[in-house]
Amino acid sequence: QLSGAPVICAYSTDLMYALGFSELEAMYGSLTIVCFGGVTCVAATAMLDSLPRGSLLLGSAGGCFAASLVETAAFRGDLPPQAALAGAVVFVVAAAAGLAPLVTVLAIEYFEQTDIEIAAVLNLMLANAFGLCVLYGFAYFLEYLGDDCFLPSTAAMALFGAFVLGCVPEPLGHSKDEVHAQARAVLARCPARCCGGGGDADDDGAKSGDDSDATPLSTVGSLAALAAA
């Protein structure tokens, strides 16, 4: 939701009109953006079974990062308005290729069968609720940040890329047990009071986050924290 793509989909006509496009050109531009996004969704569905999730997430976040820079430059007048349209297309294509479909796919691949429904529904509910806040909050970004209104998306995608590189387990080609082991290794690198990880036992003698005897409930909770993040 912080990628900027939902904002583009919701406000593309108004944004392009503000950049100097005629009303008709802005409407056709929005239609172009939606068409590219739809085609990419279909193509991404075919790619999900063969491409590593980390690569899809990084490529998707990288595309949104680059698009947000293009949008900022166009709003500042450093690039022509046509660049803003191209950046908007990149936004929706990048998001549709990875971030959007993997929200549900990763919940299926990370959790056990008994927890998939809860994880997927909770993930989607939180994402949609947060998305509404972002869409309504974008008006304040425009008011207070002006031409730099897409810079929060730039920062969010940079942080997300670092998060994917350091914290996201790769489920493709791995069993659920192997994915859970990856998650425990990630949590073991966290400070003792962050996500329940750390190498030191607490006052009650609890074992560290990388212990192979961690209970299934703690594993599910840890994965839920990763998915939510």
Side-chain angles (χ1 to χ4, degrees), residues 21-66:
F21 288 91
S22 69
E23 185 175 354
L24 185 60
E25 289 173 337
M27 292 175 64
Y28 277 120
S30 295
L31 181 61
T32 300
I33 292 168
V34 171
C35 289
F36 270 98
V39 171
T40 305
C41 279
V42 175
T45 302
M47 294 189 300
L48 285 178
D49 290 334
S50 57
L51 292 179
R53 282 39 176 145
S55 298
L56 282 172
L57 289 173
L58 284 176
S60 184
C64 291
F65 178 85

Side-chain angles (χ1 to χ4, degrees), residues 114-172:
T114 54
D115 302 310
I116 287 175
E117 294 84 356
I118 297 174
V121 170
L122 181 61
N123 204 355
L124 287 173
M125 286 177 60
L126 291 175
N128 289 331
F130 189 69
L132 289 175
C133 295
V134 170
L135 290 179
Y136 283 108
F138 185 70
Y140 295 97
F141 287 174
L142 278 173
E143 180 179 353
Y144 292 106
L145 297 179
D147 294 341
D148 297 329
C149 58
F150 279 98
L151 287 185
S153 295
T154 308
M157 290 300 96
L159 292 173
F160 180 73
F163 174 77
V164 172
L165 286 173
C167 299
V168 175
E170 176 55 61
L172 187 66

